[in-house]
Amino acid sequence: MSTYAKPEAALNQAEALINVGQKQDALQVLHDLITSKRHRAWQKILEKIMFKYVELCVDMRRGKFAKDGLIQYRIVCQQVNVTSLEEVIKHFMHLSTEKAEQARSQAQALEEALDVDDLEADKRPEDLMLSYVSGEKGKDRSDRELVTPWFKFLWETYRTVLEILRNNSKLEALYAMTAHRAFQFCKQYKRTTEFRRLCEIIRNHLLNLNKYRDQRDRPDLSSPESLQLYLDTRFEQLKVATDLQLWQEAFYSVEDIHGLMCMVKKTPKPSLLVVYYAKLTEIFWISSSHLYHAYAWFKLFTLQKTYNKNLSLKDLQLIASSVVLAALLVVPYDRSRSASHLELENEKDRNLRMANLIGFELDPKFDSREALSRSSLLSELVSKGVMSCATQEVKDLYNLLEHEFLPLDLASKVQPLLAKISKYGGKLASASSVPEVQLSRYIPALEKLVTLRVLQQVSEVYQMMRIESLSQMIPFFDFAVVEKISVEAVKHNFIAMKIDHMRGVVVFCNLGLESDGLRDHLTIFAQSLNKVRALIYPPANKASKLGEMLAGLGEIVDKEHKRLLARKSIIEKRKEEHERQLIEMEREEESRRLKQQKITEEAEQKRLAAEFEHRKNQRILREIEERELEEAQALLEEAEKRNKKKGGKKPILEGEKVTKQTLMERALTEQLRERQEMEKKLQKLAKTMDYLERAKREEAAPLIDAAFQQRLEEEKVLHEREQQLEVELSRQRHDGDLREKYRLSRMLDNKNTFQERVLNRRRVEVDRRKVEREERISLIIKARKQEREAKRKKIFYVRTEEEKIKRLREEEEARKREEAEKRKKEEAERQAKLDELAEKQRQRERELDEKERLRKEAILGRSSDGASKPFEPPVRTSEPGSAAPAAAAAAAAPTSGKYIPRHLRAKMEGAGVGGQSAPPQSEERWAGGTRPEQWGPSRRTDGSSQAPPEADRWGRPDDRSGPPSDRWRPGGGSRSSSTWSSSRPPR
């Protein structure tokens, strides 16, 4: 532990130990100081101590010491001066990189020096045995021993710094810089294993950041600066992964970028998105995922066309051609047709995952294969105008493969187009983020697609073809390759064909022939039996002996059919049971094997760990012994040199065992004795120097006074001489000034005249400009007044016209409202009159019906049955008193809510007031049964003639003479309302 009161003392002690070659002790002193709880307040001296500390750690390659010290220093200066921690870490990484570069410069063969699979693994037992047994001490082994340890330490340095800076909001930039330098280290020296570990470390850091985001000093991903740093780190990781051809890590990096974008719900810059989709195209091309490769190219084309304003027409055609060719490469059949349910579910999840990475949102409830498919992509390319941007050769190829039907000439027409397309490609000058585009890499897949199209079209035309003819039609491949392609197409139900090598022909058949025959063989058998039965039992009722013999054939066939179905289900169940047992046995065997393998691996790991620990302990002990022996030898040599200088004897006797403890004790005793002698000499020398100094000062005192007085006299004489010289110079300057004044006084009048002339001219000019300015201002004011006056007149005119139009519109609307109210009022009056007339007509008809009934009863002698009538309307009589009910009804009419004309209303009111009813002129008029002669013969609705009816008091005919069915009724009857209204005379 640290026992120093001040950090400066520890630093001085460490420097002293370094000077005598004891770096380990110096490192331990500084480590104890840094980890001590006494010095937890930040000071400037602590930064110097940390610089010295990391230098010692780098020189001795002590990564654990460096990590502990940096962690303690981070605790000290996290809240006070985080810049100091940043400087220390930068210095640490600079020293580590410099040492690694120095070691690398000493090696001549870099590949041999870095031929190590894992920088974190120690030497294997085989390597140790080889180093002990082999006597080779050549250049390769020396390079390995020089370079590899420093690269291990540099890798450990990067890991340490990333671990210290993780999830620190104040040092995000330094964290990103360290990650970039670590990526470049892996890229420069082809360290694939370390790159995977580095990606996993950064991924875990981000997971911990999301898990503990509420802690103090955590980075906020919602801020643009932090998000940009994290995105830059992930994109650098993606670039290095593709450069190292670690496609699995590249795909994980893409998922990391997508997860980061989903986490913050922000879209990165278009320049980063271009890199993202460019790397996706490479990843999907390497993984042979042509559909996702095409969608990634489509996204890349959309970004370049939308955001790249400097994109040239040539580069746009090249990108569009790549998109179209990538879409054509997708196989035209579904590979999941014959897959199991589990494989289909996995494929669905994979499609959703890939669609999210590419940027297409899919609904998981629906079949995502329909959304991400070859046909939908090609249709989208046509609708979005991508096809129009491609080259003419690519357009012709698309039309030949997708829209033309040329089974015999397709390959011959496509071949020159493929030869031209293969020549296109190169680096895009106006799109630096897009990788180099070479259309020639699509040619093999396009030849395979042409082969499939030829086979498909030939199968629709021919039933059989010779192998030689088919080989001539497909010049791209040998027939063996064509056969492999056709087998794959037949497997996925794209075409149906057979190859007969004995006959040398290819037979094309129906797609569903074999599968239907195998699946429905029992149905076919039953249909055949039904035909046989129809032949045996014809439809006619002609009995035959064969029908009698085969009477129960249908039942037998049904029973046999059911038995076969039952047997088939039993066989399938047994197969399933057997497969389940086999799977269970395989699973148990696999679990036992894994368990045994795990036990073996654990035992091997324990053995290797124990052996490694044993070797490590032996190595430590051996290093300690060697170090002690070296230190003892150094002390012995130093003692011998000291004794030789003094002329003394050797401190060690011959034959005496030399140990470090003995040498240290003797060295300490010798040092103590020498120190005491040196102190005595220094005391004696100090006393002598004191006496000499006192004597010198006593002798020098009078000499100093005499020299001072002499100096005063010399300075006084010098001052007087300089003063006289200054007086002479002043007198000379004054005389010269007087002569210059006299010379210039002769020009004073001319100067005054010139000045007056210049002032007068400038005054006239100022007055003129002032007058012009006032005139210009007056003109501007007048113009503005006229403009305001015109504007006010215009506004007044516009406002007047608007008010006039508004007044006219209001008058028109008022007139229309009055006319509408007038029409509505007239319509209401007319409807009320019609209702009143109809009501009177119905009342009169009821009275006439009642009279008719009474007349018939009187004739038939059944007047006593009148009490059983369902309806008894009031009967009018010729007496004055019979008009009372009618008057009462008329008086009650205004309360029914219907409109009553004014003249009728006055009559009804007069009748109600006088208490008398109107004279019963209608009853008296028609009582005798006479009819007016002015009515001629009328025509009934059925076309027959009849006698003129009697007329009521309004002049309407009375149809009582006809049958009851021919009488008019309001709302329905033998006569229509139009006929009645036309026969009514006007008032």
Side-chain angles (χ1 to χ4, degrees), residues 244-258:
L244 293 176
Q245 295 185 354
L246 298 175
W247 304 110
Q248 190 71 25
E249 284 299 326
F251 183 74
Y252 290 156
S253 302
V254 169
E255 287 188 329
D256 292 342
I257 294 172
H258 182 263

mmCIF file with all atom_site columns, all heavy atoms in Angstrom, residues 244-258:
data_model
loop_
_atom_site.group_PDB
_atom_site.id
_atom_site.type_symbol
_atom_site.label_atom_id
_atom_site.label_alt_id
_atom_site.label_comp_id
_atom_site.label_asym_id
_atom_site.label_entity_id
_atom_site.label_seq_id
_atom_site.pdbx_PDB_ins_code
_atom_site.Cartn_x
_atom_site.Cartn_y
_atom_site.Cartn_z
_atom_site.occupancy
_atom_site.B_iso_or_equiv
_atom_site.pdbx_formal_charge
_atom_site.auth_seq_id
_atom_site.auth_comp_id
_atom_site.auth_asym_id
_atom_site.auth_atom_id
_atom_site.pdbx_PDB_model_num
ATOM 1   N N   . LEU A 1 244 ? -12.609 -8.284  -45.034 1.00 0.00 ? 244 LEU A N   1
ATOM 2   C CA  . LEU A 1 244 ? -12.009 -9.529  -44.568 1.00 0.00 ? 244 LEU A CA  1
ATOM 3   C C   . LEU A 1 244 ? -12.759 -10.761 -45.066 1.00 0.00 ? 244 LEU A C   1
ATOM 4   O O   . LEU A 1 244 ? -12.354 -11.889 -44.748 1.00 0.00 ? 244 LEU A O   1
ATOM 5   C CB  . LEU A 1 244 ? -11.971 -9.552  -43.033 1.00 0.00 ? 244 LEU A CB  1
ATOM 6   C CG  . LEU A 1 244 ? -11.050 -8.531  -42.358 1.00 0.00 ? 244 LEU A CG  1
ATOM 7   C CD1 . LEU A 1 244 ? -11.197 -8.604  -40.851 1.00 0.00 ? 244 LEU A CD1 1
ATOM 8   C CD2 . LEU A 1 244 ? -9.609  -8.770  -42.756 1.00 0.00 ? 244 LEU A CD2 1
ATOM 9   N N   . GLN A 1 245 ? -13.889 -10.544 -45.791 1.00 0.00 ? 245 GLN A N   1
ATOM 10  C CA  . GLN A 1 245 ? -14.721 -11.625 -46.327 1.00 0.00 ? 245 GLN A CA  1
ATOM 11  C C   . GLN A 1 245 ? -15.306 -12.493 -45.220 1.00 0.00 ? 245 GLN A C   1
ATOM 12  O O   . GLN A 1 245 ? -15.465 -13.712 -45.355 1.00 0.00 ? 245 GLN A O   1
ATOM 13  C CB  . GLN A 1 245 ? -13.924 -12.489 -47.314 1.00 0.00 ? 245 GLN A CB  1
ATOM 14  C CG  . GLN A 1 245 ? -13.517 -11.729 -48.561 1.00 0.00 ? 245 GLN A CG  1
ATOM 15  C CD  . GLN A 1 245 ? -12.837 -12.597 -49.585 1.00 0.00 ? 245 GLN A CD  1
ATOM 16  O OE1 . GLN A 1 245 ? -12.559 -13.771 -49.318 1.00 0.00 ? 245 GLN A OE1 1
ATOM 17  N NE2 . GLN A 1 245 ? -12.560 -12.042 -50.751 1.00 0.00 ? 245 GLN A NE2 1
ATOM 18  N N   . LEU A 1 246 ? -15.609 -11.873 -44.095 1.00 0.00 ? 246 LEU A N   1
ATOM 19  C CA  . LEU A 1 246 ? -16.316 -12.537 -43.000 1.00 0.00 ? 246 LEU A CA  1
ATOM 20  C C   . LEU A 1 246 ? -17.801 -12.219 -43.173 1.00 0.00 ? 246 LEU A C   1
ATOM 21  O O   . LEU A 1 246 ? -18.344 -11.295 -42.569 1.00 0.00 ? 246 LEU A O   1
ATOM 22  C CB  . LEU A 1 246 ? -15.790 -12.046 -41.652 1.00 0.00 ? 246 LEU A CB  1
ATOM 23  C CG  . LEU A 1 246 ? -14.315 -12.334 -41.359 1.00 0.00 ? 246 LEU A CG  1
ATOM 24  C CD1 . LEU A 1 246 ? -13.904 -11.688 -40.047 1.00 0.00 ? 246 LEU A CD1 1
ATOM 25  C CD2 . LEU A 1 246 ? -14.056 -13.831 -41.309 1.00 0.00 ? 246 LEU A CD2 1
ATOM 26  N N   . TRP A 1 247 ? -18.446 -12.978 -44.014 1.00 0.00 ? 247 TRP A N   1
ATOM 27  C CA  . TRP A 1 247 ? -19.815 -12.637 -44.421 1.00 0.00 ? 247 TRP A CA  1
ATOM 28  C C   . TRP A 1 247 ? -20.810 -12.865 -43.301 1.00 0.00 ? 247 TRP A C   1
ATOM 29  O O   . TRP A 1 247 ? -21.826 -12.169 -43.220 1.00 0.00 ? 247 TRP A O   1
ATOM 30  C CB  . TRP A 1 247 ? -20.192 -13.436 -45.657 1.00 0.00 ? 247 TRP A CB  1
ATOM 31  C CG  . TRP A 1 247 ? -19.236 -13.229 -46.779 1.00 0.00 ? 247 TRP A CG  1
ATOM 32  C CD1 . TRP A 1 247 ? -18.347 -14.123 -47.285 1.00 0.00 ? 247 TRP A CD1 1
ATOM 33  C CD2 . TRP A 1 247 ? -19.034 -12.017 -47.520 1.00 0.00 ? 247 TRP A CD2 1
ATOM 34  N NE1 . TRP A 1 247 ? -17.607 -13.560 -48.290 1.00 0.00 ? 247 TRP A NE1 1
ATOM 35  C CE2 . TRP A 1 247 ? -18.015 -12.269 -48.464 1.00 0.00 ? 247 TRP A CE2 1
ATOM 36  C CE3 . TRP A 1 247 ? -19.615 -10.756 -47.479 1.00 0.00 ? 247 TRP A CE3 1
ATOM 37  C CZ2 . TRP A 1 247 ? -17.565 -11.309 -49.343 1.00 0.00 ? 247 TRP A CZ2 1
ATOM 38  C CZ3 . TRP A 1 247 ? -19.173 -9.796  -48.361 1.00 0.00 ? 247 TRP A CZ3 1
ATOM 39  C CH2 . TRP A 1 247 ? -18.161 -10.071 -49.281 1.00 0.00 ? 247 TRP A CH2 1
ATOM 40  N N   . GLN A 1 248 ? -20.548 -13.824 -42.422 1.00 0.00 ? 248 GLN A N   1
ATOM 41  C CA  . GLN A 1 248 ? -21.445 -14.023 -41.288 1.00 0.00 ? 248 GLN A CA  1
ATOM 42  C C   . GLN A 1 248 ? -21.399 -12.812 -40.353 1.00 0.00 ? 248 GLN A C   1
ATOM 43  O O   . GLN A 1 248 ? -22.439 -12.314 -39.903 1.00 0.00 ? 248 GLN A O   1
ATOM 44  C CB  . GLN A 1 248 ? -21.038 -15.299 -40.527 1.00 0.00 ? 248 GLN A CB  1
ATOM 45  C CG  . GLN A 1 248 ? -22.047 -15.741 -39.477 1.00 0.00 ? 248 GLN A CG  1
ATOM 46  C CD  . GLN A 1 248 ? -23.312 -16.281 -40.096 1.00 0.00 ? 248 GLN A CD  1
ATOM 47  O OE1 . GLN A 1 248 ? -23.300 -16.745 -41.218 1.00 0.00 ? 248 GLN A OE1 1
ATOM 48  N NE2 . GLN A 1 248 ? -24.416 -16.207 -39.375 1.00 0.00 ? 248 GLN A NE2 1
ATOM 49  N N   . GLU A 1 249 ? -20.193 -12.343 -40.071 1.00 0.00 ? 249 GLU A N   1
ATOM 50  C CA  . GLU A 1 249 ? -20.065 -11.151 -39.234 1.00 0.00 ? 249 GLU A CA  1
ATOM 51  C C   . GLU A 1 249 ? -20.624 -9.924  -39.940 1.00 0.00 ? 249 GLU A C   1
ATOM 52  O O   . GLU A 1 249 ? -21.175 -9.023  -39.300 1.00 0.00 ? 249 GLU A O   1
ATOM 53  C CB  . GLU A 1 249 ? -18.595 -10.921 -38.876 1.00 0.00 ? 249 GLU A CB  1
ATOM 54  C CG  . GLU A 1 249 ? -18.068 -11.849 -37.808 1.00 0.00 ? 249 GLU A CG  1
ATOM 55  C CD  . GLU A 1 249 ? -18.810 -11.709 -36.493 1.00 0.00 ? 249 GLU A CD  1
ATOM 56  O OE1 . GLU A 1 249 ? -19.234 -10.587 -36.172 1.00 0.00 ? 249 GLU A OE1 1
ATOM 57  O OE2 . GLU A 1 249 ? -18.982 -12.721 -35.797 1.00 0.00 ? 249 GLU A OE2 1
ATOM 58  N N   . ALA A 1 250 ? -20.476 -9.877  -41.248 1.00 0.00 ? 250 ALA A N   1
ATOM 59  C CA  . ALA A 1 250 ? -21.060 -8.752  -41.996 1.00 0.00 ? 250 ALA A CA  1
ATOM 60  C C   . ALA A 1 250 ? -22.584 -8.744  -41.871 1.00 0.00 ? 250 ALA A C   1
ATOM 61  O O   . ALA A 1 250 ? -23.203 -7.689  -41.692 1.00 0.00 ? 250 ALA A O   1
ATOM 62  C CB  . ALA A 1 250 ? -20.654 -8.838  -43.461 1.00 0.00 ? 250 ALA A CB  1
ATOM 63  N N   . PHE A 1 251 ? -23.180 -9.934  -41.941 1.00 0.00 ? 251 PHE A N   1
ATOM 64  C CA  . PHE A 1 251 ? -24.630 -10.008 -41.782 1.00 0.00 ? 251 PHE A CA  1
ATOM 65  C C   . PHE A 1 251 ? -25.044 -9.622  -40.359 1.00 0.00 ? 251 PHE A C   1
ATOM 66  O O   . PHE A 1 251 ? -26.042 -8.917  -40.166 1.00 0.00 ? 251 PHE A O   1
ATOM 67  C CB  . PHE A 1 251 ? -25.106 -11.423 -42.103 1.00 0.00 ? 251 PHE A CB  1
ATOM 68  C CG  . PHE A 1 251 ? -26.596 -11.586 -42.045 1.00 0.00 ? 251 PHE A CG  1
ATOM 69  C CD1 . PHE A 1 251 ? -27.393 -11.078 -43.042 1.00 0.00 ? 251 PHE A CD1 1
ATOM 70  C CD2 . PHE A 1 251 ? -27.204 -12.234 -40.988 1.00 0.00 ? 251 PHE A CD2 1
ATOM 71  C CE1 . PHE A 1 251 ? -28.766 -11.211 -42.992 1.00 0.00 ? 251 PHE A CE1 1
ATOM 72  C CE2 . PHE A 1 251 ? -28.569 -12.380 -40.934 1.00 0.00 ? 251 PHE A CE2 1
ATOM 73  C CZ  . PHE A 1 251 ? -29.354 -11.859 -41.938 1.00 0.00 ? 251 PHE A CZ  1
ATOM 74  N N   . TYR A 1 252 ? -24.274 -10.065 -39.366 1.00 0.00 ? 252 TYR A N   1
ATOM 75  C CA  . TYR A 1 252 ? -24.561 -9.643  -37.990 1.00 0.00 ? 252 TYR A CA  1
ATOM 76  C C   . TYR A 1 252 ? -24.413 -8.126  -37.838 1.00 0.00 ? 252 TYR A C   1
ATOM 77  O O   . TYR A 1 252 ? -25.185 -7.498  -37.094 1.00 0.00 ? 252 TYR A O   1
ATOM 78  C CB  . TYR A 1 252 ? -23.622 -10.348 -37.018 1.00 0.00 ? 252 TYR A CB  1
ATOM 79  C CG  . TYR A 1 252 ? -23.897 -11.834 -36.874 1.00 0.00 ? 252 TYR A CG  1
ATOM 80  C CD1 . TYR A 1 252 ? -22.897 -12.713 -36.463 1.00 0.00 ? 252 TYR A CD1 1
ATOM 81  C CD2 . TYR A 1 252 ? -25.157 -12.358 -37.138 1.00 0.00 ? 252 TYR A CD2 1
ATOM 82  C CE1 . TYR A 1 252 ? -23.136 -14.070 -36.336 1.00 0.00 ? 252 TYR A CE1 1
ATOM 83  C CE2 . TYR A 1 252 ? -25.411 -13.705 -37.012 1.00 0.00 ? 252 TYR A CE2 1
ATOM 84  C CZ  . TYR A 1 252 ? -24.394 -14.570 -36.616 1.00 0.00 ? 252 TYR A CZ  1
ATOM 85  O OH  . TYR A 1 252 ? -24.646 -15.905 -36.489 1.00 0.00 ? 252 TYR A OH  1
ATOM 86  N N   . SER A 1 253 ? -23.442 -7.563  -38.534 1.00 0.00 ? 253 SER A N   1
ATOM 87  C CA  . SER A 1 253 ? -23.266 -6.102  -38.482 1.00 0.00 ? 253 SER A CA  1
ATOM 88  C C   . SER A 1 253 ? -24.466 -5.387  -39.098 1.00 0.00 ? 253 SER A C   1
ATOM 89  O O   . SER A 1 253 ? -24.913 -4.352  -38.583 1.00 0.00 ? 253 SER A O   1
ATOM 90  C CB  . SER A 1 253 ? -21.983 -5.712  -39.217 1.00 0.00 ? 253 SER A CB  1
ATOM 91  O OG  . SER A 1 253 ? -20.861 -6.353  -38.657 1.00 0.00 ? 253 SER A OG  1
ATOM 92  N N   . VAL A 1 254 ? -24.985 -5.932  -40.184 1.00 0.00 ? 254 VAL A N   1
ATOM 93  C CA  . VAL A 1 254 ? -26.197 -5.350  -40.795 1.00 0.00 ? 254 VAL A CA  1
ATOM 94  C C   . VAL A 1 254 ? -27.364 -5.418  -39.820 1.00 0.00 ? 254 VAL A C   1
ATOM 95  O O   . VAL A 1 254 ? -28.146 -4.458  -39.675 1.00 0.00 ? 254 VAL A O   1
ATOM 96  C CB  . VAL A 1 254 ? -26.524 -6.095  -42.106 1.00 0.00 ? 254 VAL A CB  1
ATOM 97  C CG1 . VAL A 1 254 ? -27.904 -5.708  -42.615 1.00 0.00 ? 254 VAL A CG1 1
ATOM 98  C CG2 . VAL A 1 254 ? -25.490 -5.777  -43.167 1.00 0.00 ? 254 VAL A CG2 1
ATOM 99  N N   . GLU A 1 255 ? -27.492 -6.547  -39.131 1.00 0.00 ? 255 GLU A N   1
ATOM 100 C CA  . GLU A 1 255 ? -28.562 -6.658  -38.133 1.00 0.00 ? 255 GLU A CA  1
ATOM 101 C C   . GLU A 1 255 ? -28.347 -5.674  -36.993 1.00 0.00 ? 255 GLU A C   1
ATOM 102 O O   . GLU A 1 255 ? -29.322 -5.117  -36.453 1.00 0.00 ? 255 GLU A O   1
ATOM 103 C CB  . GLU A 1 255 ? -28.616 -8.085  -37.596 1.00 0.00 ? 255 GLU A CB  1
ATOM 104 C CG  . GLU A 1 255 ? -29.197 -9.088  -38.592 1.00 0.00 ? 255 GLU A CG  1
ATOM 105 C CD  . GLU A 1 255 ? -29.419 -10.441 -37.969 1.00 0.00 ? 255 GLU A CD  1
ATOM 106 O OE1 . GLU A 1 255 ? -28.646 -10.802 -37.058 1.00 0.00 ? 255 GLU A OE1 1
ATOM 107 O OE2 . GLU A 1 255 ? -30.357 -11.141 -38.390 1.00 0.00 ? 255 GLU A OE2 1
ATOM 108 N N   . ASP A 1 256 ? -27.095 -5.464  -36.603 1.00 0.00 ? 256 ASP A N   1
ATOM 109 C CA  . ASP A 1 256 ? -26.822 -4.469  -35.559 1.00 0.00 ? 256 ASP A CA  1
ATOM 110 C C   . ASP A 1 256 ? -27.245 -3.075  -36.007 1.00 0.00 ? 256 ASP A C   1
ATOM 111 O O   . ASP A 1 256 ? -27.842 -2.313  -35.230 1.00 0.00 ? 256 ASP A O   1
ATOM 112 C CB  . ASP A 1 256 ? -25.336 -4.472  -35.212 1.00 0.00 ? 256 ASP A CB  1
ATOM 113 C CG  . ASP A 1 256 ? -24.907 -5.753  -34.518 1.00 0.00 ? 256 ASP A CG  1
ATOM 114 O OD1 . ASP A 1 256 ? -25.799 -6.465  -34.016 1.00 0.00 ? 256 ASP A OD1 1
ATOM 115 O OD2 . ASP A 1 256 ? -23.706 -6.062  -34.500 1.00 0.00 ? 256 ASP A OD2 1
ATOM 116 N N   . ILE A 1 257 ? -26.939 -2.718  -37.244 1.00 0.00 ? 257 ILE A N   1
ATOM 117 C CA  . ILE A 1 257 ? -27.318 -1.391  -37.759 1.00 0.00 ? 257 ILE A CA  1
ATOM 118 C C   . ILE A 1 257 ? -28.839 -1.264  -37.812 1.00 0.00 ? 257 ILE A C   1
ATOM 119 O O   . ILE A 1 257 ? -29.407 -0.241  -37.414 1.00 0.00 ? 257 ILE A O   1
ATOM 120 C CB  . ILE A 1 257 ? -26.693 -1.174  -39.147 1.00 0.00 ? 257 ILE A CB  1
ATOM 121 C CG1 . ILE A 1 257 ? -25.159 -1.115  -39.041 1.00 0.00 ? 257 ILE A CG1 1
ATOM 122 C CG2 . ILE A 1 257 ? -27.219 0.103   -39.787 1.00 0.00 ? 257 ILE A CG2 1
ATOM 123 C CD1 . ILE A 1 257 ? -24.454 -1.104  -40.370 1.00 0.00 ? 257 ILE A CD1 1
ATOM 124 N N   . HIS A 1 258 ? -29.499 -2.306  -38.279 1.00 0.00 ? 258 HIS A N   1
ATOM 125 C CA  . HIS A 1 258 ? -30.965 -2.262  -38.353 1.00 0.00 ? 258 HIS A CA  1
ATOM 126 C C   . HIS A 1 258 ? -31.578 -2.186  -36.953 1.00 0.00 ? 258 HIS A C   1
ATOM 127 O O   . HIS A 1 258 ? -32.545 -1.450  -36.724 1.00 0.00 ? 258 HIS A O   1
ATOM 128 C CB  . HIS A 1 258 ? -31.464 -3.505  -39.094 1.00 0.00 ? 258 HIS A CB  1
ATOM 129 C CG  . HIS A 1 258 ? -32.956 -3.523  -39.268 1.00 0.00 ? 258 HIS A CG  1
ATOM 130 N ND1 . HIS A 1 258 ? -33.794 -4.202  -38.420 1.00 0.00 ? 258 HIS A ND1 1
ATOM 131 C CD2 . HIS A 1 258 ? -33.767 -2.933  -40.182 1.00 0.00 ? 258 HIS A CD2 1
ATOM 132 C CE1 . HIS A 1 258 ? -35.037 -4.048  -38.799 1.00 0.00 ? 258 HIS A CE1 1
ATOM 133 N NE2 . HIS A 1 258 ? -35.059 -3.272  -39.858 1.00 0.00 ? 258 HIS A NE2 1
#
